[in-house]
């Protein structure tokens, strides 16, 4: 087999493994074989979203993201028994299992012997995944520092901590999520991803798989930072009582960051009528696991629309995208009214200001 044939065979195998591991669900989510939700993130989009969110929050959050990524990955490594390989050639088999996982997710590679990372992901994310692997294999806790040597090479320093190792808990279920698992239909994962050095691409753009649990853990952290939302941000929102002041923080900051992301992107957003929303969701949200509305109905002749949304861990991102699409499609500031509707959520988006027709 030639070198080119080996590369093609490796790419086909990796893509086949990805499609075996994940499937699409009719609620617009992407799930693994144990039902955990994942999203496919364009790395440029994630970087834009992250920089905007950190800027709006006014505080550095990189360490919070690292901890969220580490806790979620440790939890998944445990629930999937990925590193439980038996005693025979244990270290070699654990390294192989870890390499397969990082390749599958598009994270790059982590050498546990040299503590070197090669990844296209932001340092807090891939460093968190590496910390989880180190702690899970050694059953010890570490303090971690990262040193960015180049765009995609990071050296990690681990300092042993005198702390008892206990398994990471499941990700939190915030008020917009639910523990129930309704019986949605599923279909094969069909996103056309291509292998590149240290990851994946889609439509020529680098991308990666990220668990929804990372975001649930990070959003919970945001409720504890004492962040004060500006009055001109809040004037656009009408919340129910169950979304208290603390929980408003991750929802508003996430939406502001998504709006910045969408504004900086080249995505064409055209909204002619209520049916346009299905086309936007099918193009920009559903294939990547960001979810979609269960129902969409018109509210007025100025573009006002009501979305019925199923609970989910990606809910703040979905609301953020719908809000941003509305503002970009109509070129006006939007207001959002959120209410619980049985087991689902009603999200009404309309013009903040009234315009004469």
């Amino acid at each position: 087999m030639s070198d080119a044939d080996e590369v093609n065979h490796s790419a086909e195998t990796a893509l086949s493994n990805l499609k075996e591991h994940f499937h699409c669900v009719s609620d617009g989510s992407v799930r693994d074989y144990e039902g955990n939700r994942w999203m496919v993130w364009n790395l440029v989009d994630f970087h834009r979203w992250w920089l905007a969110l950190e800027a709006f929050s006014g505080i550095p959050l990189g360490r919070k993201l690292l901890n969220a990524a580490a806790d979620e990955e440790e939890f998944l490594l445990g629930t999937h028994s990925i590193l439980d390989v038996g005693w025979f050639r244990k270290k070699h088999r654990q390294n192989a299992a870890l390499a397969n996982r990082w390749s599958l997710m598009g994270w790059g590679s982590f050498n546990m012997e040299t503590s070197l990372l090669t990844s296209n992901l932001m340092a807090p994310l891939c460093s968190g995944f590496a910390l989880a692997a180190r702690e899970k294999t050694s059953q010890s806790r570490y303090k971690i520092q990262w040193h960015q040597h180049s765009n995609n090479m990071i050296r990690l320093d681990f300092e042993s901590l005198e702390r008892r190792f206990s398994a990471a808990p499941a990700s939190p279920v915030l008020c917009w999520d639910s523990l129930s698992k309704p019986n949605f239909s599923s279909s094969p994962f069909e996103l056309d991803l291509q292998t590149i050095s240290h990851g994946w691409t889609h439509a020529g753009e680098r991308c990666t798989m990220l668990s929804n649990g990372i975001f649930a853990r990070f959003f919970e952290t945001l409720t504890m930072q004492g962040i004060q939302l500006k009055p001109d941000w809040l004037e656009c929102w009408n919340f129910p009582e169950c979304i208290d002041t603390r929980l408003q923080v991750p929802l508003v900051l996430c939406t502001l960051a998504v709006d910045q992301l969408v504004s900086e992107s080249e995505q064409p957003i055209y909204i002619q009528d209520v049916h346009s929303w299905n086309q936007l969701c099918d193009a920009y949200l559903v294939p990547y696991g960001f979810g979609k509305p269960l129902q969409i109905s018109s509210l007025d002749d100025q573009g006002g629309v009501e979305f019925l949304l199923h609970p989910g861990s990606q809910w703040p991102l979905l609301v953020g995208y719908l809000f941003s699409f509305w503002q970009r499609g109509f070129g006006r500031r939007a207001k959002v009214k959120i209410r619980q509707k049985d087991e689902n959520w009603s999200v009404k988006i309309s013009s903040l200001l009234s315009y004469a027709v």
Side-chain angles (χ1 to χ4, degrees):
M1 183 180 291
S2 68
D3 290 346
D5 288 338
E6 286 184 4
V7 170
N8 289 334
H9 176 72
S10 176
E12 290 174 3
T13 301
L15 190 56
S16 175
N17 290 341
L18 195 73
K19 292 185 176 182
E20 286 181 8
H21 195 86
F22 296 103
H23 60 277
C24 297
V25 180
S26 55
D27 65 346
S29 65
V30 172
R31 308 198 186 200
D32 63 25
Y33 51 79
E34 291 201 4
N36 301 300
R37 298 185 184 206
W38 293 73
M39 289 176 281
V40 182
W41 271 88
N42 176 303
L43 294 187
V44 171
D45 283 352
F46 185 87
H47 194 246
R48 287 171 173 166
W49 177 80
W50 175 256
L51 290 179
L53 188 144
E54 204 169 33
F56 285 123
S57 73
I59 58 176
L61 294 168
R63 181 64 61 170
K64 306 301 181 185
L65 179 61
L66 183 150
N67 290 337
D71 287 348
E72 179 65 11
E73 177 62 0
E74 183 189 314
F75 172 75
L76 293 175
L77 288 173
T79 56
H80 291 337
S81 301
I82 291 168
L83 300 178
D84 298 338
V85 295
W87 63 269
F88 181 69
R89 302 183 69 198
K90 182 176 181 179
K91 184 177 291 187
H92 172 79
R93 294 168 68 188
Q94 283 184 330
N95 286 337
L98 191 67
N100 288 336
R101 178 166 179 80
W102 279 57
S103 175
L104 177 73
M105 303 304 179
W107 296 344
S109 63
F110 171 49
N111 188 318
M112 283 198 286
E113 304 299 323
T114 63
S115 298
L116 283 177
L117 264 174
T118 307
S119 177
N120 295 318
L121 274 62
M122 283 178 50
L125 272 177
C126 56
S127 299
F129 299 148
L131 177 61
R134 179 69 177 266
E135 293 187 333
K136 185 68 176 174
T137 53
S138 67
Q139 294 289 290
S140 302
R141 293 298 182 196
Y142 294 92
K143 180 180 179 181
I144 186 175
Q145 297 290 338
W146 71 80
H147 306 276
Q148 192 98 35
H149 283 197
S150 65
N151 287 339
N152 56 22
M153 184 168 288
I154 299 168
R155 180 174 59 82
L156 302 177
D157 289 336
F158 295 97
E159 179 184 339
S160 182
L161 296 175
E162 295 298 325
R163 284 171 46 194
R164 177 175 166 269
F165 183 88
S166 56
S171 57
V173 179
L174 301 179
C175 73
W176 44 70
D177 202 352
S178 171
L179 285 172
S180 64
K181 295 184 177 181
N183 189 24
F184 289 108
S185 60
S186 62
S187 59
F189 181 76
E190 294 293 350
L191 205 61
D192 185 20
L193 300 177
Q194 304 294 322
T195 57
I196 59 167
S197 179
H198 319 310
W200 296 96
T201 64
H202 176 258
E205 296 287 339
R206 291 174 179 171
C207 58
T208 192
M209 305 294 301
L210 296 178
S211 168
N212 287 26
I214 298 170
F215 296 86
R217 295 175 194 272
F218 177 69
F219 290 153
E220 183 180 54
T221 298
L222 285 179
T223 68
M224 307 173 189
Q225 301 304 306
I227 298 171
Q228 298 296 315
L229 300 175
K230 296 180 180 180
D232 60 322
W233 295 346
L234 290 172
E235 70 175 347
C236 303
W237 296 85
N238 187 311
F239 296 104
E241 290 184 2
C242 61
I243 302 182
D244 61 24
T245 302
R246 289 195 316 150
L247 285 166
Q248 291 169 19
V249 171
L251 181 53
V252 172
L253 291 181
C254 179
T255 297
L256 289 168
V258 171
D259 190 52
Q260 184 78 16
L261 181 166
V262 172
S263 296
E264 293 177 6
S265 74
E266 298 179 356
Q267 294 175 336
I269 307 297
Y270 303 113
I271 304 173
Q272 294 181 321
D273 52 39
V274 72
H275 302 293
S276 301
W277 285 102
N278 285 318
Q279 297 170 348
L280 288 172
C281 292
D282 289 342
Y284 299 132
L285 303 180
V286 173
Y288 311 97
F290 287 96
K292 69 175 183 179
L294 299 173
Q295 294 178 10
I296 307 172
S297 54
S298 178
L299 292 176
D300 54 46
D301 56 5
Q302 295 187 33
V305 63
E306 179 180 12
F307 302 101
L308 187 65
L309 305 184
H310 183 70
S313 46
Q314 82 284 4
W315 197 83
L317 289 159
L318 176 57
V319 172
Y321 271 108
L322 296 175
F323 175 89
S324 304
F325 289 165
W326 197 99
Q327 291 202 141
R328 184 160 178 178
F330 290 101
R332 304 198 296 267
R333 287 190 71 192
K335 63 181 179 182
V336 187
K337 182 177 181 179
I338 300 173
R339 293 292 182 269
Q340 285 185 294
K341 202 167 188 178
D342 298 324
E343 296 182 354
N344 298 308
W345 292 92
S346 164
V347 177
K348 296 180 179 179
I349 302 180
S350 56
S351 177
L352 180 63
L353 304 175
S354 298
Y355 293 86
V357 179

